[in-house]
Amino acid sequence: MPRAGCTLRSRCSEMCLGIPGQVVRTVDGTAGQVALVDVEGSQRKVNVGMLDHQGLDPGDWVLIHLGFAVERMDPDEAFEARAGLEHLGRGAAEANIAAPARTPRT
């Protein structure tokens, strides 16, 4: 059954924003539905119930959207996604893009 939503591999025309995270461990008492995931040095609980659990081990990379792991990633994909997010975070000033002029409301 195909997953709903946009993933890196699907190259779909819609866009979703996800962040890569590296699995630290599954959380005890959650029947394998929640994992502790490291995102840029910050660990957070992520629902991994949408993924096929076979082989989800510490060190694996996942794409997180709204607190849910929506896709497994290989390390190269995770690096590429992080680089893209860093580029987006630089802002217009660092990218030498002029901010659009604002017209005063009357």
Side-chain angles (χ1 to χ4, degrees):
M1 179 170 126
R3 275 188 232 123
C6 179
T7 64
L8 290 177
R9 288 184 197 95
S10 70
R11 307 293 184 215
C12 63
S13 60
E14 296 177 16
M15 183 176 143
C16 65
L17 181 61
I19 57 172
Q22 193 170 29
V23 175
V24 175
R25 63 178 173 82
T26 56
V27 176
D28 293 335
T30 63
Q33 296 290 303
V34 178
L36 189 63
V37 178
D38 183 275
V39 177
E40 293 289 318
S42 176
Q43 294 185 353
R44 57 190 69 186
K45 292 179 183 176
V46 173
N47 186 314
V48 295
M50 293 173 50
L51 301 177
D52 173 15
H53 295 296
Q54 281 190 328
L56 187 61
D57 296 314
D60 288 346
W61 287 91
V62 293
L63 183 67
I64 305 163
H65 180 70
L66 298 174
F68 292 86
V70 295
E71 180 179 341
R72 291 172 200 245
M73 308 174 80
D74 65 39
D76 291 336
E77 289 174 319
F79 179 79
E80 180 182 341
R82 286 175 54 184
L85 289 170
E86 288 173 10
H87 180 74
L88 287 174
R90 289 185 188 143
E94 291 182 21
N96 289 326
I97 299 171
R102 295 187 178 246
T103 305
R105 292 186 176 177
T106 56

